[in-house]
């Protein structure tokens, strides 16, 4: 690692004042292209994206493909990490693969294989070898932990610097097997009154989040909190929850943190949510932090006791967030209006 990187002053959560106006943060982040309800940059077609198309396709960006007449299908998704890769390439790569596997398991697919491509590595820079070596270790370690086959791994070196500085980027593609498409658990909330749970450990962390970078303008921060062993336990629990039929919907907490994960789950069916935040965690960290190993779940009322018993028996942290509403969004008894306010143009 470069000496300059070793001497870099570390970001601390205490340097960010705890906010009091959550609504202002939400509407400020809504214009972020990575979080917008209508993301024009995620469609390569020339045709404009119609507001009526919001929520079309209920798999939250995972592609599904039939491979035979028995009902078996493949699921595939792509994920990337860019400028934060330089801070800790091994951890960044492990996070990326864990995120992809968690998303597959929320759907009900079994992660099977992964490919990784490392771009914009300057072979003339000694730090390039550090990044490549760390990414390789992260890929191999995560593949072993998650029982994945590595189908391909390549590095693209930058031979010229005429295009200016380009941050190293790793892109991974993951393939999973779906045995029965009729049993898939999608990300969209299904019905008013459903119970909403968050499984996984809530931590004080906003590192590398869209909130920190877009709202506060701080791009130099640690990677999101991540613990491989916690991730493995949570993903194993998800497999059992699917088998027990206890889930109505499931979403990995991702870009934008818990609030935008809730929003992505609410939009497809025009539903809302009424939640209570964790009093022991900073509100901005709880709502907008992007720490790994957390999943948003919808559970029917009649299955709530079975779900709680299962989670308690497995000794896996979980938090009762609240319930699904007909369309209103409420946080700690404060109304943010209705879901149509969060879908510009509708």
């Amino acid at each position: 690692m470069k000496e300059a990187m070793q001497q870099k002053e570390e970001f601390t959560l205490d340097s960010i004042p705890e906010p009091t106006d959550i609504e202002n943060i939400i509407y400020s982040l809504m214009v972020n292209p990575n979080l917008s309800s209508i993301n024009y940059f995620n469609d390569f077609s020339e045709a404009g994206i119609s507001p009526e198309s919001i929520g079309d396709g209920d798999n939250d960006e995972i592609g599904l493909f039939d491979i035979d007449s028995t009902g078996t299908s493949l699921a595939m998704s792509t994920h990337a990490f860019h400028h934060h890769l330089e801070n800790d390439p091994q951890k960044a790569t492990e996070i990326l693969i864990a995120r992809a596997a968690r998303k597959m398991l929320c759907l009900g697919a079994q992660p099977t294989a992964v490919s990784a491509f490392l771009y914009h590595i300057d072979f003339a820079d000694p730090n390039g070898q550090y990044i490549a070596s760390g990414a390789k270790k992260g890929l191999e370690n995560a593949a072993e932990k998650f029982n994945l086959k590595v189908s391909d791994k390549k590095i693209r070196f930058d031979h010229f610097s005429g295009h200016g500085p380009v941050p190293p980027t790793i892109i991974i593609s993951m393939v999973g097997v779906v045995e029965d498409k009729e049993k898939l658990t999608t990300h969209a909330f299904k019905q008013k009154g459903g119970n909403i749970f968050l499984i996984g450990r809530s931590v004080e962390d906003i590192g590398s989040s869209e909130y920190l970078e877009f709202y506060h303008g701080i791009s130099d921060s640690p990677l999101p909190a991540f613990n491989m062993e916690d991730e493995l336990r949570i993903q194993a629990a998800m497999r059992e929850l699917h088998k027990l039929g206890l889930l109505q919907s499931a979403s990995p907490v991702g870009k934008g943190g818990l609030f935008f994960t809730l929003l992505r789950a609410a939009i497809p069916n025009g539903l809302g949510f009424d939640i209570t935040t964790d009093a022991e965690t900073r509100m901005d960290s709880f709502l907008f932090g992007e720490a790994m190993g957390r999943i948003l779940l919808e559970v029917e009322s009649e299955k709530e006791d079975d779900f709680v018993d299962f989670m308690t028996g497995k000794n896996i942290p979980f938090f009762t967030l609240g319930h699904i509403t007909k369309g209103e969004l409420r946080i700690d008894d404060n109304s943010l209006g209705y879901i149509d306010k969060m879908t510009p143009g509708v």
Side-chain angles (χ1 to χ4, degrees), residues 15 32 38 47 86 90 93 180 190 221 239 248 310 319 336:
S15 65
N32 180 343
I38 307 176
E86 296 176 276
Q90 178 173 343
T93 305
D180 187 350
K190 301 302 185 295
S221 65
R239 291 185 178 90
Q248 279 285 88
F310 172 83
F319 184 83
L336 299 175

Side-chain angles (χ1 to χ4, degrees), residues 11-20 22 25 202-206 211-212 215-216 258 277-289 294 332:
F11 165 83
T12 63
L13 181 63
D14 292 338
S15 65
I16 303 295
E18 187 166 1
T20 56
I22 293 298
I25 295 174
S202 292
V203 295
E204 300 278 14
D205 178 74
I206 57 174
Y211 162 67
L212 185 62
Y215 186 78
H216 289 288
L258 176 61
T277 59
D278 186 350
E280 297 181 1
T281 306
R282 280 180 52 139
M283 187 175 289
D284 56 349
S285 179
F286 187 75
L287 291 175
F288 308 116
R294 296 176 299 152
D332 293 337

